[in-house]
Structures are given as structure tokens and as C-alpha cells.
Amino acid sequence: MKLSKPIAVAIDVGTTTIAASLLDCESGERLAMTGSLNPQREFGADVVSRLAAAVSSADNLLRMSKLINAELERLTVKLLHDCGADSRDLRCIGIAGNPAIEHLLLGLSVNSLAFPPYRPLFSAGKTTTTASLGWDLDQDAYIFPLPGGFVGGDLVAFLYGEDVCAAHSTQHTARLYLDLGTNGELALVAGGKIYATSAAAGPAFEGGNLACGMAALPGAISGVSFVGDKVRISTIRNEAPSGICGSGVISAVAGLLDAGLLDQSGRLLEADEIPSNLANHVRNVDGETGFVLYRDARRTIYLSQGDIRQVQLAKGAIRAGMEVLLLRAGISGDSVQEVILTGSFGAVLSPEHLKNVGIFSENMVKNAGFVHEGALRGVEKAICAGDDFAALDRLAESIKVIPLSGTPAFEKHFLEHMNFPKLQNGA
């Protein structure tokens, strides 16, 4: 059955994963959703690696531009096909990503992002056509505004979706917004102002660059719990385990800490140091200690010592970024009345787990909430707003970007928060 109504496509292009949806423009209803891995990952798992590749070679930049545009067109066509929709009814395609992603999408030089003062070539949202980007499909496309060099359209979309325009007009509230991903973006609304920054967390929160890591796709271990000396796992869509995604990694590390199998420095204990049957899960894999979460005849899924170090680097960067924003706003963490978290980590993360690994303080745990697909939902809302995206530019202009690179306060807090918090059981 063919749809015959004005429709639009919303796309959140992450460093690791892409999410796209098809909308009914009149009702705002989501008609279909799809997603995939970002094909630019062949040039590196993080933004810094891709910027370096693009700067070193015009051919690399062109290939990354072609890769992402081909994938976005494929996802758009898939959405139309899955709903029996006609491309002639497609009114607009809205695309949000971090500054590097948006520059590569448009085929722009990334030199201004790769070198000081790390500024984008554009800040206001851009209206273009998909044909100009190399698509066979010719539609109007809107690229989200970029507040700063590493604070992008995806954070603008997340904040817009959460009505931050209204929230930041209240002088006596403090809210923290976290988009945990490879390029972790943070915003603090306090004193009638919006402060934002970006911390290069690496791909651990999205399951990247881990021994058995994968994106939040069916079969990914998304939750891990320890019941006595037994390990329980849950997977996305309850499919057979095939890897572990970000939420699974965080819950596994939190569980290992709580069970006393990790010390504060992040060292995974050897089997002969563990008095319980959990020692049977500790194996030497490729020369390093690992903790086996699942095993069958075909595969072994484990968390390696190197994986745990990746989590430490990621959580240290995010927590340090939070501390810098609090310092700039002149408030303490205890003043934050609400924490809103989103990301492509795979499942709702327990605030207690985030506290156990050292990302959240006790106050943040009490005031934490989660938004699924925060950036994508913001793109959807903007497409249906009918104001020609003017509110997005106003929001982006109101954001005060705080750079972290070379900031002594960031380096100090990063080192402070590299270790895990003191273990509850005193192990």
C-alpha cells in the first residue's frame, strides 16, 4: 500500500553509528527507522584519525565524503521502500552530526578543524540539495548548525529536542546534558547560559575498538550482572550473543568493580587472586588477562584488560569535561538539578553503574534521566516545527563553547578521574 502524504527523513550521523527515520510531516509520527555503521570507520575509529587522514590526502577526504553520502542515500531509499513511500512526497532531509562529520559530508576542507583554533568553516545551518552531494535522489537537505570546532549539530539537535531554549531562560536551574559516544558532547545550562564542550572519549561507549566490541545491534550483549558467583547477560532483541556494546561494557565493568575483581587502578585480578568461582571466567587471551562473559561452541565473548583501559580513558575524559563546565559556570556538581543522558550505547544505563565507574557523582545519580535517540529525536522535532529551522540557529548562537585542548583544568581532572572510585566492598 502506497503512502500519499508529505514525509521527511531525519538522520543522526555519529562517528560510529548512523540512525535514520521517516516521518509524517503533518503529524510528526515516526513511520519507520533504520541504522547502520558509519562506513568512514575504515579511516579510523575516532574523529581525530579521520581528520588526520583527510588533511593528509585530498583523495581520502573525497572518499570519506562519497562513503557517507552513499550510505545516507542507501538508508533513505530503504526507509522509503519499507514504507511504500514515494520519493516525490519527500519534503526534506535533516542531517545532524559533529563538525568533522558534517564537513566531510559536504566535501569541505577540514584543515580549520584539525589545527588551532579548531573552528568550523560554517556555524549557521546550511540548506543544500542531495544532488549536490552526489546522490541520485534529488531532495532539499538541511545540515544542522555548528556552535564550535568539536561541538556539533548533533548536540544542537539533542538540546533542541529537550526544549533547552526554554530551559536556559530560567536563572536558578542547572541541568547537565550528556551525549555519550565516540565524540562525547556535553552541555551545562546554568545561570541563564548554555556552556558546551566535547571530550574525545573514544569508541568504547559505542562498543568500538574493543576485543569483542560491536555496535548496539541485535545480538550485542547490552547488560551484565553478577549474581553470587554467576554472570548473567542480556542481549539486544534476546538474540544469541555475538559481541558486546557500550551499555554492556559499562555494566560489566561496574559489576567487576562491585565484585572486587577490578582494583582502583583498573587492573583485572588474575584467576589465582580470586577466591570464588568467578575465577573460572578469567583467562589469558592473546597475552593479556580477560574476563569471559559468554562462551559457546563458536565464540568466546570477553572483556580484556585493554578494554577496561579504554573505558578508563573514556570515563576520565567525560568526567573531566563535566568538571570544566561546572568550573566555568561557577557551580558545584551538587548544584545540578537534572542530568539528561543520551547516546548509542545500546540500552538505558543504570545511574548506579555510571557512579560505580566514576562518571556520575552521588547527586547526579539521584537526578539522572535517559533519552533514547536524543539527537535523532531533535532532528525529527526540527523538521516538523515549520519555522525554516530558524530556532536552531538561535540555539546554536546562544551556546558558549569551552575548548578542552591544552586546558590545565581538563588535564588535572582527567588525571584525577582516571582511576575508578574506591570499591564499596573494600577489595
Side-chain angles (χ1 to χ4, degrees):
M1 179 178 173
K2 291 280 185 182
L3 284 174
S4 182
K5 60 176 74 175
I7 53 178
V9 169
I11 305 177
D12 169 25
V13 189
T15 308
T16 303
T17 57
I18 304 169
S21 62
L22 186 71
L23 305 172
D24 179 333
C25 291
E26 294 173 346
S27 68
E29 178 190 359
R30 182 186 285 180
L31 304 172
M33 184 177 172
T34 189
S36 68
L37 294 174
N38 188 325
Q40 295 172 332
R41 65 191 183 280
E42 70 178 61
F43 289 93
D46 54 63
V47 164
V48 174
S49 300
R50 293 179 204 174
L51 287 175
V55 166
S56 69
S57 162
D59 288 341
N60 286 347
L61 190 154
L62 180 62
R63 175 156 174 78
M64 275 190 272
S65 182
K66 287 184 174 179
L67 281 171
I68 195 61
N69 277 291
E71 184 63 8
L72 298 193
E73 181 170 27
R74 185 187 73 80
L75 294 175
T76 298
V77 170
K78 181 179 186 301
L79 287 169
L80 294 170
H81 178 268
D82 288 350
C83 283
D86 193 319
S87 62
R88 289 173 294 185
D89 294 322
L90 191 56
R91 297 291 182 264
C92 176
I93 298 172
I95 304 172
N98 66 52
I101 293 292
E102 290 194 10
H103 278 61
L104 293 170
L105 172 77
L106 294 166
L108 300 176
S109 167
V110 297
N111 287 17
S112 67
L113 297 175
F115 303 107
Y118 308 111
R119 290 177 181 159
L121 294 177
F122 65 96
S123 56
K126 295 181 76 70
T127 300
T128 184
T129 65
T130 54
S132 71
L133 300 177
W135 297 28
D136 291 330
L137 192 66
D138 188 9
Q139 297 292 336
D140 288 337
Y142 177 80
I143 314 299
F144 271 55
L146 302 176
F150 289 98
V151 175
D154 45 359
L155 183 67
V156 173
F158 176 32
L159 297 179
Y160 180 81
E162 292 300 300
D163 291 322
V164 170
C165 314
H168 88 270
S169 65
T170 304
Q171 294 282 333
H172 303 292
T173 59
R175 294 182 177 88
L176 186 64
Y177 298 83
L178 307 176
D179 187 350
L180 291 188
T182 306
N183 185 52
E185 292 178 287
L186 308 83
L188 176 66
V189 179
K193 296 179 181 179
I194 306 175
Y195 303 91
T197 195
S198 174
F205 289 139
E206 296 187 272
N209 270 16
L210 304 177
C212 299
M214 65 180 287
L217 300 170
I221 294 175
S222 57
V224 177
S225 61
F226 290 72
V227 182
D229 58 1
K230 297 189 181 303
V231 179
R232 304 251 173 99
I233 63 170
S234 56
T235 65
I236 294 178
R237 293 190 189 171
N238 294 318
E239 293 196 8
S242 53
I244 185 166
C245 65
S247 59
V249 171
I250 293 297
S251 60
V253 170
L256 289 169
L257 284 164
D258 192 53
L261 305 187
L262 273 182
D263 66 20
Q264 278 186 268
S265 74
R267 183 181 72 90
L268 182 61
L269 302 189
E270 298 290 343
D272 59 9
E273 298 177 90
I274 301 169
S276 72
N277 287 333
L278 288 171
N280 297 327
H281 289 263
V282 178
R283 296 280 187 274
N284 187 288
V285 186
D286 295 329
E288 68 173 343
T289 305
F291 188 88
V292 176
L293 299 167
Y294 174 83
R295 175 183 291 170
D296 62 19
R298 294 182 303 151
R299 61 172 58 87
T300 298
I301 301 172
Y302 65 96
L303 202 63
S304 72
Q305 180 66 73
D307 295 341
I308 294 164
R309 297 300 183 205
Q310 290 297 314
V311 171
Q312 285 182 272
L313 290 170
K315 70 99 175 179
I318 293 295
R319 183 62 185 267
M322 290 162 47
E323 296 293 343
V324 169
L325 290 184
L326 291 166
L327 182 66
R328 190 59 180 266
I331 63 173
S332 70
D334 289 339
S335 301
V336 176
Q337 293 151 300
E338 191 174 7
V339 181
I340 299 95
L341 175 69
T342 194
S344 300
F345 32 74
V348 171
L349 292 174
S350 160
E352 283 291 336
H353 288 167
L354 292 172
K355 184 190 79 170
N356 289 351
V357 301
I359 296 175
F360 277 5
S361 66
E362 184 65 45
N363 178 62
M364 291 174 185
V365 171
K366 298 174 186 174
N367 298 298
F370 297 86
V371 177
H372 287 287
E373 303 148 2
L376 182 65
R377 291 187 181 278
V379 178
E380 293 175 337
K381 180 179 175 181
I383 286 175
C384 297
D387 67 349
D388 294 326
F389 305 104
L392 291 172
D393 281 334
R394 290 195 297 271
L395 173 58
E397 288 170 4
S398 72
I399 296 172
K400 172 101 178 137
V401 176
I402 312 299
L404 297 180
S405 179
T407 305
F410 174 76
E411 294 170 2
K412 171 178 173 286
H413 287 296
F414 178 70
L415 292 173
E416 282 177 356
H417 293 286
M418 273 289 292
N419 279 1
F420 292 111
K422 187 174 181 180
L423 300 176
Q424 295 291 322
N425 59 11

